[in-house]
């Protein structure tokens, strides 16, 4: 095992989290009588994880710089309400009902608004020297109250038909064929990334991984992708929706029923795309290097010429834009904008980042770990719902898990010194 870990250079903390998640999955499957590891529940689990996973990718950069953002849930609710009002009440009067540009304008407005709110928070933190805890705590209260004032507490519905695709469901999935195509493209990308990494190591004279380790990583990565595609393709449309589809398209209804696979949900694709982009930003761009440099030693980063204040503003602006994407997913999934939308999401987002290996001391964190942490958090919540555990006790469990994660991070940092 030591030889395998050394040769493949796998992160032991990430492997430990994957092992813990598998234990959680198997345990819930046993106690729920086999309900947890069904294609239906795993498909729903992936959709439910999407919005928190998107925000967790931004929370990594925030925490890496030794800051915190407690306002993400309230920003999600406020931006979601604005996008809902634009789609349901304002734009149809201007452009007409179901105009093809309604969802585009609403989404663009949400992204700009989210980024502006984040930039406002970042500016106060960076230039007025107010601690991020206080600024974002104030933002949590301000934007939650502003959400209520937009519609005086009303729920706004329905959303634009195209916009609703971002929420998943039978129409918000890409089907079996496209899911296999996406899966094969992902496998090709995994192999290409590993080959390119080997080429770059050789070019700059860095030590190369053994060929068998490269083959092992490629095989495991492709196997995980293909198994995930097989699972989502094993979840069929509900029988009534499938029957209506058959009647509308003149398809004869077979004796055993018509099997139409959901495939990969659109919000999952959005979350994965955000994860890829954020990984590129944090590991390949100068901005990402600046973020980790600030987290490692803010004073040294500033003396090195990094404009730490502007980097802080950009981080919070990016966090706000990610909240807007999460708001779009959440609003589309509910087909409504509500005042309670995003409540406690700040807890789950911070917990996902910390469980995923992001250190509250700053300087350490990965995007993939945060997204996996979001999946662990949602797995706990989903399993407890299937077991019929009350919501108050679910929050107790989440709180305990968060404290344990921080404690384990403290132990890990202490041993690595």
């Amino acid at each position: 095992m030591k030889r395998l870990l050394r040769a493949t250079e796998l992160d032991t903390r990430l492997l430990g989290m994957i092992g813990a998640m598998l234990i959680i999955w198997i345990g819930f499957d046993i106690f729920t009588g086999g309900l947890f590891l069904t294609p239906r529940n795993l498909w729903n689990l992936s959709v439910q994880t999407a919005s928190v996973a998107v925000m967790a990718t931004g929370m990594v950069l925030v925490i890496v710089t030794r800051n915190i953002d407690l306002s993400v849930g309230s920003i999600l609710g406020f931006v979601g309400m604005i996008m809902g009002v634009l789609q349901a009440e304002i734009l149809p009067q201007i452009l007409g009902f179901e105009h093809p540009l309604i969802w585009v304008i609403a989404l663009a407005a949400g992204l700009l608004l989210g980024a502006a709110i984040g930039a406002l928070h970042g500016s106060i933190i960076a230039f007025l020297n107010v601690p991020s805890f206080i600024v974002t705590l104030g933002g949590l209260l301000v934007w939650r109250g502003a959400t209520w004032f937009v519609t005086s507490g009303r729920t706004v519905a329905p959303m634009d038909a195209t916009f609703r695709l971002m929420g998943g469901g039978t129409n918000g999935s890409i089907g079996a064929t496209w899911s296999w195509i996406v899966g094969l493209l992902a496998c090709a990308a995994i192999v290409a990334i590993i080959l390119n990494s080997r080429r770059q190591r050789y070019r700059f004279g860095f030590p190369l991984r053994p060929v068998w380790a490269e083959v092992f990583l490629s095989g495991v990565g492709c196997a995980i992708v293909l198994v995930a595609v097989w699972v989502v393709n094993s979840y069929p449309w509900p029988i009534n929706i499938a029957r209506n589809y058959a009647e509308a398209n003149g398809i004869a209804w077979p004796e055993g029923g018509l099997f139409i696979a959901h495939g990969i949900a659109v919000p999952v694709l959005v979350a994965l795309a955000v994860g890829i982009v954020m990984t590129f930003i944090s590991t390949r761009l100068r901005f990402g290097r600046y973020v980790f440099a600030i987290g490692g030693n803010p004073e040294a980063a500033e003396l090195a010429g990094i404009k730490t204040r502007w980097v802080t503003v950009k981080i919070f602006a990016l966090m706000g834009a990610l909240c807007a994407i999460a708001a779009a997913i959440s609003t589309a999934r509910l087909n409504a904008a509500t005042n309670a939308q995003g409540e406690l999401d700040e807890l789950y987002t911070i917990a996902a980042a910390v469980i995923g290996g992001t250190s509250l001391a700053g300087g350490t964190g990965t995007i993939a770990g945060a997204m996996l942490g979001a999946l662990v958090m949602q797995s706990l919540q989903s399993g407890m719902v299937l077991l019929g555990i009350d919501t108050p006790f679910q929050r107790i469990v989440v709180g305990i898990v968060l404290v344990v994660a921080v404690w384990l991070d403290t132990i890990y940092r202490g041993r690595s010194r």
Side-chain angles (χ1 to χ4, degrees):
M1 181 58 68
K2 288 183 178 179
R3 179 169 174 258
L4 175 67
L5 294 175
R6 189 181 305 111
T8 57
E9 301 176 359
L10 290 172
D11 186 355
T12 54
R13 295 183 69 178
L14 193 63
L15 289 177
M17 187 164 49
I18 293 174
M21 186 180 70
L22 292 176
I23 292 173
I24 291 171
W25 283 12
I26 294 171
F28 277 132
D29 194 59
I30 293 172
F31 287 113
T32 58
L35 293 177
F36 190 88
L37 290 179
T38 58
R40 175 181 180 179
N41 187 62
L42 292 177
W43 188 90
N44 286 326
L45 179 63
S46 68
V47 173
Q48 293 162 359
T49 304
S51 61
V52 172
V54 167
M55 292 190 292
T57 63
M59 190 62 73
V60 171
L61 302 187
V62 172
I63 296 178
V64 160
T65 54
R66 306 185 185 186
N67 289 300
I68 200 72
D69 194 340
L70 301 175
S71 64
V72 292
S74 296
I75 295 176
L76 184 154
F78 179 68
V79 174
M81 183 62 74
I82 295 296
M83 288 192 292
V85 170
L86 284 173
Q87 293 176 73
E89 298 179 359
I90 297 177
L91 292 177
Q93 296 180 5
I94 300 174
L95 301 176
F97 186 69
E98 291 294 341
H99 191 280
L101 288 179
I102 287 179
W103 76 274
V104 176
I105 296 173
L107 182 60
L111 288 171
L112 291 173
L113 178 60
I117 293 173
L120 173 63
H121 291 176
S123 298
I124 296 173
I125 293 165
F127 294 102
L128 300 183
N129 295 320
V130 182
S132 59
F133 180 90
I134 299 300
V135 173
T136 57
L137 178 60
L140 181 152
L141 300 172
V142 169
W143 302 118
R144 182 59 62 188
T147 303
W148 189 90
F149 275 109
V150 171
T151 60
S152 298
R154 286 187 298 111
T155 294
V156 178
M159 299 297 103
D160 178 79
T162 306
F163 183 85
R164 289 200 299 269
L165 299 180
M166 293 184 64
T170 53
N171 293 324
S173 304
I174 63 175
T177 302
W178 278 106
S179 294
W180 283 119
I181 292 173
V182 170
L184 293 175
L185 290 175
C187 291
I190 290 171
V191 174
I193 289 171
I194 291 176
L195 289 177
N196 182 65
S197 174
R198 186 176 183 85
R199 192 180 301 113
Q200 293 296 324
R201 285 171 177 240
Y202 178 79
R203 177 185 174 188
F204 293 105
F206 293 158
L208 299 177
R209 284 190 293 242
V211 175
W212 67 265
E214 307 277 19
V215 173
F216 174 80
L217 290 173
S218 301
V220 170
C222 292
I224 292 173
V225 169
L226 295 178
V227 168
V229 173
W230 173 75
V231 169
V232 295
N233 282 342
S234 299
Y235 177 38
W237 284 12
I239 187 170
N240 291 334
I241 296 178
R243 189 186 297 275
N244 293 336
Y245 176 83
E247 292 175 355
N249 291 273
I251 301 174
W253 187 257
E255 184 177 348
L258 189 63
F259 185 96
I260 304 176
H262 278 80
I264 304 173
V266 172
V268 176
L269 290 176
V270 172
L272 292 174
V274 168
I276 292 170
V277 171
M278 291 296 292
T279 299
F280 180 79
I281 289 173
S282 62
T283 59
R284 298 293 182 182
L285 295 185
R286 184 184 301 173
F287 172 73
R289 293 195 294 271
Y290 286 171
V291 169
F292 282 88
I294 293 171
N297 192 323
E299 292 79 13
E302 192 160 2
L303 290 173
I306 298 175
K307 297 179 180 179
T308 57
R309 294 184 177 182
W310 281 112
V311 172
T312 300
V313 173
K314 292 176 183 178
I315 290 171
F316 278 90
L318 180 60
M319 183 74 251
L322 292 172
C323 289
I325 296 175
I329 293 173
S330 176
T331 306
R333 184 164 172 262
L334 294 172
N335 192 24
T338 69
N339 288 281
Q341 204 170 334
E343 283 189 353
L344 292 182
D345 274 9
E346 54 277 346
L347 167 64
Y348 295 113
T349 303
I350 294 171
V354 173
I355 290 173
T358 305
S359 175
L360 291 173
T364 304
T366 62
I367 303 300
M371 298 187 76
L372 190 57
L375 183 58
V376 170
M377 293 299 300
Q378 190 59 50
S379 297
L380 286 171
Q381 190 171 6
S382 176
M384 288 187 288
V385 168
L386 289 176
L387 288 173
I389 296 175
D390 294 335
T391 300
F393 189 76
Q394 293 179 30
R395 294 177 179 178
I396 292 173
V397 172
V398 171
I400 293 173
V401 169
L402 178 58
V403 173
V404 171
V406 175
W407 172 61
L408 291 176
D409 174 68
T410 303
I411 294 176
Y412 180 84
R413 287 188 293 106
R415 290 181 177 179
S416 60
R417 290 174 181 172

